[in-house]
Amino acid sequence: MKLPVVIHRARTGADEFRVVRPARPLPRAVLVDHDRYLGAYLDQEAARSIAGLWTLAARSPRSLIHVPLRTPHSPDRAVPDSAGARLDLVLLHHSLQFAPSRWKEVRARLDPGRPHTANLPEANRTDPRRHATTGRTATCSTNTYAPEHCS
């Protein structure tokens, strides 16, 4: 998968951060704070882009991935009118140990950036529930997402 991105740099004191953003906004993607949970409203294209950016974050331990999602456009009429505040998404590798409270400062110091194309592996088109070595299909309870409840 080829993913067009823009790579920015930001310096805060002695620290320098590499921030990667999608080259084009995701027009039909919204992240909403619903008081006690977050809701992501996406179309298929936006979901694929976010999955690619998530993969990039997992493979780039020294980069912050910023996905601007506070757009005025919704993917469809699924976003309730009484929805809470719209949010952006920042993805990063756990080893970066980045404090979320520093994000506003980093965002304010971003340079104009330079275009780049990230080459990511294609998604595996097989059944995600099929175990690679045994060939068995996993069955999971619909009430939980915990892997220990899958067989």
Side-chain angles (χ1 to χ4, degrees):
M1 170 183 198
K2 292 185 185 255
L3 189 63
V5 296
V6 177
I7 299 175
H8 302 270
R9 301 255 181 219
R11 180 171 291 281
T12 60
D15 298 323
E16 183 176 12
F17 295 96
R18 179 177 177 231
V19 178
V20 180
R21 289 179 167 165
R24 294 179 305 275
L26 306 177
R28 291 176 302 280
V30 178
L31 182 63
V32 179
D33 184 358
H34 289 288
D35 189 32
R36 294 193 174 122
Y37 65 94
L38 299 177
Y41 301 90
L42 314 166
D43 69 355
Q44 190 173 17
E45 181 183 340
R48 281 192 184 126
S49 295
I50 289 176
L53 291 164
W54 204 303
T55 301
L56 187 60
R59 293 172 179 247
S60 305
R62 293 182 299 275
S63 298
L64 298 166
I65 311 298
H66 176 227
V67 187
L69 296 176
R70 291 184 285 173
T71 62
H73 307 291
S74 298
D76 59 20
R77 300 193 190 280
V79 181
D81 293 333
S82 61
R86 292 183 181 207
L87 305 171
D88 286 345
L89 180 63
V90 178
L91 304 167
L92 56 121
H93 194 273
H94 66 91
S95 65
L96 190 56
Q97 299 291 309
F98 181 78
S101 60
R102 297 183 67 192
W103 172 244
K104 284 187 179 182
E105 180 184 7
V106 170
R107 186 179 60 196
R109 295 174 184 257
L110 291 176
D111 68 9
R114 66 185 201 293
H116 185 73
T117 300
N119 292 313
L120 303 171
E122 289 295 327
N124 187 355
R125 300 281 182 201
T126 61
D127 185 348
R129 300 173 300 150
R130 187 166 296 281
H131 192 273
T133 56
T134 65
R136 290 180 38 210
T137 301
T139 56
C140 298
S141 166
T142 58
N143 296 332
T144 181
Y145 296 104
E148 63 268 16
H149 296 287
C150 297
S151 58

